[in-house]
């Protein structure tokens, strides 16, 4: 059950984030659908490929395809009313998608009895993968490499799922809210990790 | 039979389009081969991955490898005579490749008895996939997201194949000519789909 | 045995090259780890995908994950002492990775009894693949398409392995040194392959 909820939230949030970025880049309506779809389903496809689940199980998610299609349509036609006056919607939907898919990816890796390390990698691939593909296709620097803290929240969510300390669905939903909030706060307050300049 | 013809036309057209774009970007001779090969075979690889056919069946296409190699060689050494005075060859070969591979991808999905939706996705992935990889590697904005109508023609071709209204090879060849022509006309007359600006 | 040595050298060299490029792009510490890991393991993943080995065998390389993690950490924290006063470390480590992985990829394709052509493609994909993914994620033009001779050395190494003229590990190590040296000399002396300008 929780699995389906996380899939739903992650797919919906990333479909919207992909559609918003496509509109920011002035893609036409079909480009908006493609980028929304690729963002919504790309992270899961990359994760499946890397953890050895057939990528084609993608096609069993008919309900999610419909959800993504409807949401992209709504965003495209009502963007004026839904998105005006605020330029952070893209990042915020991305944050929710990151958190939901990180937890979902980690749950899948746990079910396959992978190592703790692999659970964390599955979390970050599923959470960040769709956004990386979205940003590459939009000709942008991937959000995961931008200045505010991003993927580490997915890793931490994966670690918590992997350690199996949270039992029951409620705890996982709390983890979702926490992870998404930490990412949103990172954007809002410009939290950064250390970096090194090398002079060249 | 029609399947082989579409594979041949698509591979040839995309190999040439990749080689042309590599020369426009001033890649060296080996870069021209790589980009030509990636464009010719990339779309099919992505489609196979996503619809669950082993990607390695790629290697059974020896004849197509030879065709692509010969064509890239010819384009590289005779570009002066073949391409001068006209800067649209790249787009036009791309249009033929888009149409041929869209129909071929849709035919494959039909043979695997996938849903109509999946047939359309297979058409657009096979038709547009190689070009997207080509443009990413060349550091360009993917053609599929540029202003003139592009991928929707692949989707429509996929829909027509998927509805199974066209019977016999002749009808499929007519669809190829029609799809390629519509794309070329889109470039020529700057046909565009609607888009939304969102102010940010 | 030689196989493990090549895997070790290639992984180590690419992990370092990815970390260096991430620091040149001013990525934060987590971005440095991600780019190092993707560069170290990306080429092998692409090769496995294309030659039909499950991508998930990636996970059996625990020792190499640890090696890459340790090296990226060392590079990040001691970059000031290790990298200063010289801006070519990135290219040089990349050259060693290119050579080691080209030979390793060719050896794998030989073991699978693939055709000579496929052995050469496996060499270039494994050798150059990780670097291409690294450069795309860093928003750079892939090294493989830049002006000095690059991927052709991987192809030649693949050809030599594929012709099976070198027997024994010593010969393969000599091939590694030779291939890496030829790439480094290409950077140093600006060796180039012919290219064509097409006027557009």
């Amino acid at each position: 059950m929780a699995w389906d909820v996380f899939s739903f939230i992650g797919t919906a949030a990333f479909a919207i984030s992909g559609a918003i970025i496509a509109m920011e880049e002035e893609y036409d309506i079909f480009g908006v659908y493609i980028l929304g779809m690729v963002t919504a389903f790309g992270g899961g496809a990359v994760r499946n490929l890397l953890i050895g689940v057939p990528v084609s199980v993608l096609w069993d998610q008919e309900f999610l395809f419909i959800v993504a299609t409807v949401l992209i349509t709504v965003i495209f036609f009502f963007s004026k009313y839904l998105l005006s006056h605020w330029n952070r919607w893209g990042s915020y939907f991305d944050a929710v998608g990151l958190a939901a898919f990180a937890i979902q990816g980690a749950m899948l890796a746990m079910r396959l009895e992978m190592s703790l390390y692999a659970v964390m990698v599955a979390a970050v691939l599923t959470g960040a993968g769709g956004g990386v593909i979205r940003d590459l296709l939009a000709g942008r620097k991937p959000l995961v490499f931008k200045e505010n803290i991003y993927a580490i929240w997915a890793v931490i969510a994966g670690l918590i799922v992997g350690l199996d300390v949270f039992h029951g669905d409620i705890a996982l939903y709390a983890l979702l809210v926490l992870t998404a909030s930490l990412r949103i706060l990172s954007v809002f307050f410009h939290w950064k990790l250390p970096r090194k300049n090398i002079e060249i």
Side-chain angles (χ1 to χ4, degrees), chain A residues 35-185:
Chain A
L35 207 64
M37 286 294 179
V38 164
T39 311
F41 297 100
V46 171
R47 177 208 58 212
N48 283 2
L49 180 64
L50 289 178
I51 69 179
V53 175
V55 173
S56 50
V57 297
L58 200 60
W59 299 102
D60 305 333
Q61 307 175 295
E62 256 185 49
F63 173 66
L64 294 178
F65 279 116
I66 297 169
V67 167
T69 306
V70 170
L71 285 172
I72 295 168
T73 307
V74 170
I75 285 289
F76 185 80
F77 287 102
F78 299 97
S79 56
K80 194 171 259 173
Y81 312 99
L82 295 170
L83 301 174
S84 61
H85 305 308
W86 202 30
N87 67 3
R88 283 196 181 121
W89 282 115
S91 293
Y92 286 18
F93 278 106
D94 185 274
V96 174
L98 173 73
F101 272 162
I103 296 170
Q104 189 236 39
M107 287 167 74
L108 179 62
M110 285 293 283
R111 208 186 291 171
L112 298 173
E113 306 193 343
M114 300 184 80
S115 71
L116 181 58
Y117 187 84
V119 171
M120 289 161 65
V121 173
V124 74
L125 285 172
T126 317
V132 168
I133 300 175
R134 175 196 65 209
D135 294 337
L136 284 181
L137 288 178
R140 295 184 170 193
K141 185 176 174 179
L143 218 53
V144 66
F145 294 129
K146 279 194 159 170
E147 46 187 11
N148 302 315
I149 300 179
Y150 185 86
I152 199 95
W153 300 126
V155 175
I156 293 173
L159 176 66
I160 291 173
V161 173
L163 290 174
D164 210 10
V165 286
F166 274 36
H167 290 290
D169 292 357
I170 302 298
L172 289 171
Y173 296 138
L175 183 60
L176 168 67
V177 173
L178 185 69
T179 306
S181 303
L182 285 168
R183 165 60 189 160
I184 289 172
L185 291 172

